[in-house]
Amino acid sequence: MSTTPKPTAITALRLGFALLAAAAVNTVIALGALSLDDGGIGMGLSPASYLPATAVGLLLGTVGWFVIARRAPQALRVVVPAVLVLTWVPDLLLFTAGATAANVFGLMLMHLVVTTAVVAALRPTLQPAGHGVQTVRTTE
């Protein structure tokens, strides 16, 4: 079944709620990671770091979603998890800079939150092709 993306004002509202939810959850994660980051560098765990990154991640995820959904919507099932894993590579490299496991895994979890927010907000934009078109079956 083919699908096509349908951006609307409701989609924009969903994205706004997704941004607020992701920012709130990422704040809780950052606070938890900082409390466990005994003697670490705390990279990316300040609101000045993760709040803009959350907004940019949501924006880039939205652009990527619509680009892929227009051309090959079934590819989203592979591309979304692949991109998420790729975002974890810089997080893992922070181990070489002295980051603690709490810092690194906190950032990885924050990337998962943003990815989940994008998918939750945009999944309803995928409508089956011919949605709303009634087909008539005839028997002969």
Side-chain angles (χ1 to χ4, degrees):
M1 180 179 286
S2 177
T3 58
T4 56
K6 303 283 186 195
T8 64
I10 292 190
T11 300
L13 186 61
R14 279 193 199 112
L15 286 168
F17 282 124
L19 177 59
L20 292 174
V25 173
N26 280 349
T27 297
V28 171
I29 292 168
L31 291 172
L34 279 172
S35 71
L36 298 172
D37 191 36
D38 188 30
I41 60 174
M43 178 66 81
L45 298 177
S46 71
S49 296
Y50 68 79
L51 289 175
T54 298
V56 168
L58 194 91
L59 178 65
L60 292 175
T62 299
V63 169
W65 178 279
F66 282 114
V67 167
I68 293 167
R70 288 190 199 289
R71 298 184 190 326
Q74 294 78 15
L76 288 167
R77 292 179 186 205
V78 174
V79 173
V80 170
V83 170
L84 173 62
V85 169
L86 287 175
T87 67
W88 288 342
V89 171
D91 298 339
L92 292 169
L93 292 175
L94 287 175
F95 279 125
T96 63
T100 64
N103 190 166
V104 171
F105 293 124
L107 291 173
M108 292 172 78
L109 191 56
M110 292 166 99
H111 285 138
L112 177 62
V113 166
V114 172
T115 301
T116 302
V118 170
V119 171
L122 297 179
R123 188 161 186 182
T125 64
L126 296 177
Q127 298 293 329
H131 183 70
V133 176
Q134 196 173 39
T135 57
V136 178
R137 291 174 66 176
T138 59
T139 55
E140 294 181 34

